Amino acid sequence: MAPLTPRGLVPSLLWCLSLFLSLPGPVWLQPSPPPHPSPRAEPHPCHTCRALVDNFNKGLERTIRDNFGGGNTAWEEEKLSKYKDSETRLVEVLEGVCSRSDFECHRLLELSEELVENWWFHRQQEAPDLFQWLCSDSLKLCCPSGTFGPSCLPCPGGTERPCGGYGQCEGEGTRGGSGHCDCQAGYGGEACGQCGLGYFEAERNSSHLVCSACFGPCARCTGPEESHCLQCKKGWALHHLKCVDIDECGTEQATCGADQFCVNTEGSYECRDCAKACLGCMGAGPGRCKKCSRGYQQVGSKCLDVDECETVVCPGENEKCENTEGGYRCVCAEGYRQEDGICVKEQVPESAGFFAEMTEDEMVVLQQMFFGVIICALATLAAKGDLVFTAIFIGAVAAMTGYWLSERSDRVLEGFIKGR
């Protein structure tokens, strides 16, 4: 059984609020699921080793003024050796080299802990650079700057200026990578020592190269002007040191579909669809058709829609023809509706009368208005036509009528229109 809805504005609002709060798990109060994190690329072991050494050196700087902290520093240093080179300081430094979430760092530290202790107690004097001793010489994870790969080969352009200083050597400083130079915009060649496609040498000396952009469609040029072109980009043709656009549509270089037409653009072309009225076309619109599509006919220079309803008679009973773009359709005539493939007459339900449609609440209001009018009329008669009581009577009737009509305005209008 459905719950009863309370009457009145305030009780209704309270009832709706309680119903709303009783709903299980409103969507907007539930936490949204966290987004799926994108897979993170693992750092190269050399980079992990470098970060470990950098944090180790920071730990040394942080503890440079520390001591054993036992109170008698002189005795401790005499009996337990200097804090500077002690195992106590080493442990304190190693505790801070890896963050809790850096699993790669913790794994590398676990593998190299004995090497670090060996360097701390025995190799510091002969190998002061921990990075070189641990990451390059011992673990063989890294290469010197300007080199790459398992054998630490020099990058193109040399170890002093890899890739000429205008690119990045792939794998530089690690035991991986191909050593290929990823050149900056405007530079090219094996070691980025030349100007790339669409650029020219604006300045060059033994150690410096400046490449500037050519004029738009030029692939190779001697300067920035339109007339300095030596070679053109695809879609352009060189003519008297200038690059002019090739009209692919006019030279039949374009490859468009049977129901498309070609539009030339700067350095290229586009294929666009023909109008619906066309069966093949030479341009946009129904006036550029090669032939007319079915359901269209040529009128002058255009393909226009044929109104089939002028000649077609729909076979079904109570059907009428409705013209469409390029065709037609049979629909039920006005006053009929489709049912099981045939058009049947719509049944309009007869109304039982204006007062029969009234709800129980509206009937109560109408009764109150009726008794109010009777009381006001009796009061006016008792006052023997006094103007004040007459005005009160007219105002009361108007107010109650306006209130009732505001609740039933739609039904009143419909009733008057239908004469009920």
Side-chain angles (χ1 to χ4, degrees):
M1 181 175 177
L4 295 177
T5 305
R7 297 177 182 177
L9 179 59
V10 174
S12 297
L13 289 176
L14 293 175
W15 179 80
C16 291
L17 180 60
S18 63
L19 180 62
F20 167 76
L21 293 176
S22 67
L23 293 175
V27 174
W28 49 88
L29 295 181
Q30 295 178 354
S32 57
H36 294 289
S38 56
R40 185 183 62 170
E42 292 187 0
H44 192 278
C46 176
H47 300 152
T48 303
C49 191
R50 182 183 293 276
L52 186 150
V53 171
D54 288 343
N55 289 333
F56 186 91
N57 291 331
K58 291 178 182 178
L60 292 179
E61 294 177 3
R62 187 178 64 252
T63 58
I64 195 170
R65 298 185 182 277
D66 290 355
N67 52 48
F68 287 106
N72 193 344
T73 303
W75 180 87
E76 289 170 342
E77 290 186 349
E78 180 183 354
K79 300 296 182 182
L80 303 176
S81 77
K82 297 286 187 181
Y83 173 81
K84 175 184 175 183
D85 302 318
S86 67
E87 184 176 2
T88 302
R89 186 184 183 193
L90 175 62
V91 171
E92 290 179 0
V93 171
L94 290 178
E95 285 178 349
V97 296
C98 297
S99 64
R100 291 186 177 181
S101 60
D102 194 343
F103 302 108
E104 296 298 323
C105 179
H106 283 287
R107 183 168 59 182
L108 181 61
L109 180 59
E110 184 178 353
L111 293 173
S112 59
E113 191 168 2
E114 291 185 3
L115 290 173
V116 174
E117 291 178 358
N118 183 29
W119 176 83
W120 179 258
F121 293 115
H122 307 293
R123 300 295 183 92
Q124 283 197 63
Q125 299 301 321
E126 61 183 82
D129 188 347
L130 177 59
F131 174 77
Q132 176 68 33
W133 185 87
L134 178 66
C135 301
S136 295
D137 300 339
S138 301
L139 297 176
K140 298 190 182 302
L141 298 176
C142 302
C143 286
S145 178
T147 62
F148 73 98
S151 302
C152 294
L153 300 175
C155 290
T159 58
E160 295 297 324
R161 293 190 66 197
C163 302
Y166 301 108
Q168 180 65 43
C169 175
E170 185 184 350
E172 180 188 359
T174 73
R175 297 281 173 151
S178 64
H180 173 75
C181 285
D182 183 14
C183 301
Q184 300 173 7
Y187 295 86
E190 182 183 1
C192 305
Q194 303 171 8
C195 290
L197 196 67
Y199 291 80
F200 69 95
E201 290 186 5
E203 184 180 342
R204 177 190 281 275
N205 56 32
S206 59
S207 61
H208 196 60
L209 173 64
V210 176
C211 296
S212 298
C214 298
F215 183 77
C218 299
R220 290 178 53 245
C221 63
T222 57
E225 301 297 330
E226 181 183 7
S227 58
H228 291 168
C229 297
L230 298 176
Q231 181 183 343
C232 299
K233 296 178 182 178
K234 184 179 179 180
W236 303 82
L238 188 64
H239 183 70
H240 297 306
L241 298 180
K242 292 184 179 181
C243 291
V244 294
D245 176 49
I246 297 174
D247 185 358
E248 293 86 357
C249 302
T251 57
E252 297 184 354
Q253 296 182 21
T255 54
C256 293
D259 291 327
Q260 293 180 319
F261 63 96
C262 180
V263 176
N264 187 55
T265 60
E266 284 196 352
S268 186
Y269 67 94
E270 294 178 357
C271 292
R272 300 179 184 175
D273 293 335
C274 297
K276 185 179 179 181
C278 299
L279 195 63
C281 64
M282 298 172 290
R288 302 299 305 277
C289 299
K290 293 180 181 179
K291 292 182 179 180
C292 295
S293 299
R294 184 178 179 181
Y296 295 85
Q297 63 182 354
Q298 188 162 355
V299 180
S301 60
K302 294 184 177 181
C303 289
L304 301 180
D305 176 50
V306 175
D307 187 357
E308 293 84 357
C309 294
E310 294 181 353
T311 57
V312 172
V313 177
C314 291
E317 188 178 358
N318 301 318
E319 287 186 340
K320 67 175 183 178
C321 177
E322 188 175 274
N323 188 52
T324 61
E325 188 73 19
Y328 71 98
R329 61 187 175 190
C330 291
V331 298
C332 293
E334 187 175 355
Y336 292 83
R337 59 183 175 83
Q338 190 83 12
E339 187 175 307
D340 298 331
I342 59 175
C343 293
V344 298
K345 191 174 182 62
E346 292 182 338
Q347 300 295 327
V348 181
E350 295 186 1
S351 175
F354 176 67
F355 291 103
E357 297 179 0
M358 292 178 60
T359 65
E360 182 180 349
D361 289 342
E362 291 171 340
M363 185 63 73
V364 172
V365 172
L366 186 60
Q367 291 172 354
Q368 292 173 348
M369 288 175 56
F370 176 76
F371 288 119
V373 170
I374 296 298
I375 292 171
C376 289
L378 293 175
T380 303
L381 291 174
K384 298 180 180 180
D386 188 274
L387 291 178
V388 175
F389 282 96
T390 303
I392 294 174
F393 169 67
I394 295 175
V397 172
M400 287 186 290
T401 304
Y403 169 77
W404 188 69
L405 287 179
S406 67
E407 295 292 326
R408 292 180 48 82
S409 58
D410 293 340
R411 296 188 185 182
V412 169
L413 290 175
E414 185 180 356
F416 277 119
I417 291 173
K418 293 182 178 180
R420 298 179 185 275

